Amino acid sequence: MIIVMKHHAPDEYIQAVVDKIRAAGLSEHVSRGTERTIIGAVGDERVFSPDAFELMPGVERAMRVVKDYRIVSREVHPADSVVQVRGQAFGGKAIQIIAGPAAVETAEQMAQCAELVKAGGCRLLRGGAFKPRTSPYAFPGIGVAGLEQLRQESGRHGLPMVSELLDVRMLETFLELDVDMIEIGARNMQNVGLLKEVGRINKPVILKRGPSATLTEWLMAAEHIAAGGNHNIIFCERGVRSFEPSYRNMLDLSSIPVLKRETHLPVIVDPSHAGGKAWMVPSLAKAAIAAGADGLMLDIHPDPANAWCDGEQALNPQDFRQLLGELAALALALGRTLA
Ligand code: PEP
Ligand code: MN
């Protein structure tokens, strides 16, 4: 912790800061400048919060030297981490595409989606069984039956399955049905109870960015999971709330290089929930890969006009195939492979 004293703070105020540091078992390093004095608290600074000093007389500001996130930080783990999801690696050379419907509707729709995903060469299948809708009267997902249909198609095609966990009370069911990767959606990014629970299991977790979360808040949310022992975390940027109404969320491409610098964990992008319109998805998807994302999560539907949820942003089979072709060329140019 570094404590900056106010201009000409008297010695007694400096001494009070030093006493507080010593009382906590740390030592001090006092640097007296011509204008002001700076005090370094040497030792484990986690025992203090900056305001413990900022509220003292004569203190201008106090700041931490180390970050609050540790396990997920690159400082602690400089090399890229590769997260394995039933044999599919995230964070390596391969760009991983997760695709599937926003919501599992019927056995037939799920089967059609799974065939499209498999035929397109994508390696993971998504499907929402429990949907966090903005309106309580909107279609909430078909629940456990949806997970079962996803499990069936996942098994049939050898595609690991991804689904969103909304409520901690469903965790046992997710484990019983052996959901391969658990998604924590944007709305739950700071649901600490949920984060802690998925931190105690050994399933990979996709942690989506909260609609207005800063990158530090997002990293701290991941740290909540990691602190429980589960380090298999993948960040998913899905756009943030902005002042612009012509798209659903503003895709924050800048978060990709910042996150890749701050954390060793993989980062993927969901361009569907960012754009909110299918016609925007190819541009956003390609931009995300060009910016260094390790993968994408895409909403697709065999018949978007009749989708039960988020049809507007779902790629139809033809546009999905075309995008995959373009992404393959882009991956090649970037020295990566499209899984
Ligand atoms: C989803 O992936 O279906 C979803 C609801 O996304 P988000 O949490 O990003 O809104
Ligand atoms: Mn959705």
Side-chain angles (χ1 to χ4, degrees):
M1 183 90 62
I2 291 172
I3 300 110
V4 181
M5 302 303 295
K6 285 187 177 142
H7 193 57
H8 300 315
D11 279 352
E12 62 195 279
Y13 289 170
I14 294 172
Q15 191 56 45
V17 169
V18 169
D19 291 345
K20 191 180 180 95
I21 293 171
R22 289 187 186 162
L26 280 74
S27 58
E28 77 285 354
H29 179 91
V30 181
S31 165
R32 286 176 193 273
T34 49
E35 293 280 323
R36 58 191 76 222
T37 297
I38 294 172
I39 306 168
V42 184
D44 186 356
E45 65 174 9
R46 278 179 293 184
V47 296
F48 295 122
S49 79
D51 44 308
F53 292 102
E54 281 173 351
L55 292 170
M56 293 178 77
V59 174
E60 187 171 284
R61 61 183 190 277
M63 60 217 127
R64 291 193 191 284
V65 179
V66 294
K67 290 166 180 153
D68 279 324
Y69 47 92
R70 289 154 200 271
I71 303 168
V72 306
S73 83
R74 229 186 236 287
E75 222 166 63
V76 170
H77 191 292
D80 283 342
S81 280
V82 173
V83 174
Q84 296 286 347
V85 185
R86 205 184 276 261
Q88 301 304 333
F90 281 78
K93 195 176 175 196
I95 290 164
Q96 293 287 5
I97 314 283
I98 305 166
V104 184
E105 298 167 5
T106 62
E108 193 194 354
Q109 170 250 18
M110 199 54 237
Q112 286 173 324
C113 286
E115 270 161 37
L116 285 168
V117 172
K118 184 71 181 181
C122 305
R123 299 278 173 82
L124 297 100
L125 185 62
R126 68 155 280 157
F130 298 89
K131 300 301 301 174
R133 305 307 300 274
T134 301
S135 162
Y137 309 114
F139 170 62
I142 62 171
V144 177
L147 288 183
E148 285 165 351
Q149 284 172 19
L150 191 58
R151 167 59 39 240
Q152 195 171 342
E153 294 306 323
S154 159
R156 193 196 315 275
H157 295 283
L159 297 164
M161 69 191 255
V162 180
S163 204
E164 176 171 356
L165 177 68
L166 269 192
D167 186 323
V168 80
R169 288 168 295 188
M170 289 312 295
L171 182 56
E172 274 311 307
T173 308
F174 271 57
L175 295 177
E176 275 160 27
L177 286 165
D178 205 13
V179 174
D180 299 297
M181 178 146 67
I182 296 180
E183 172 181 329
I184 300 294
R187 292 159 187 79
N188 273 316
M189 188 205 84
Q190 283 183 311
N191 181 338
V192 173
L194 198 53
L195 299 177
K196 279 191 177 156
E197 288 303 315
V198 296
R200 286 158 35 158
I201 58 172
N202 61 4
K203 291 276 181 194
V205 175
I206 293 189
L207 180 63
K208 293 188 112 181
R209 180 179 185 179
S212 53
T214 65
L215 299 185
T216 300
E217 287 164 346
W218 194 9
L219 287 155
M220 300 277 243
E223 188 79 13
H224 271 290
I225 300 172
N230 187 357
H231 299 182
N232 297 307
I233 306 162
I234 294 164
F235 289 86
C236 181
E237 167 66 55
R238 43 77 79 197
V240 290
R241 187 175 285 267
S242 86
F243 46 82
E244 173 52 53
S246 58
Y247 32 77
R248 188 171 179 181
N249 291 290
M250 182 167 63
L251 181 59
D252 181 10
L253 286 174
S254 310
S255 75
I256 302 168
V258 177
L259 232 58
K260 296 294 286 182
R261 192 181 165 98
E262 288 297 313
T263 177
H264 51 93
L265 293 164
V267 180
I268 66 169
V269 170
D270 172 350
S272 310
H273 284 83
K277 308 262 191 309
W279 60 266
M280 287 184 200
V281 171
S283 304
L284 302 179
K286 288 179 279 187
I289 296 305
D294 296 301
L296 297 170
M297 178 139 83
L298 301 173
D299 277 12
I300 63 166
H301 198 282
D303 178 15
N306 288 303
W308 297 3
C309 174
D310 282 352
E312 257 188 313
Q313 68 192 37
L315 290 171
N316 65 34
Q318 191 190 334
D319 292 346
F320 177 51
R321 277 190 287 269
Q322 180 168 338
L323 173 59
L324 292 173
E326 291 170 9
L327 289 171
L330 183 57
L332 195 66
L334 294 167
R336 300 189 78 168
T337 55
L338 199 62

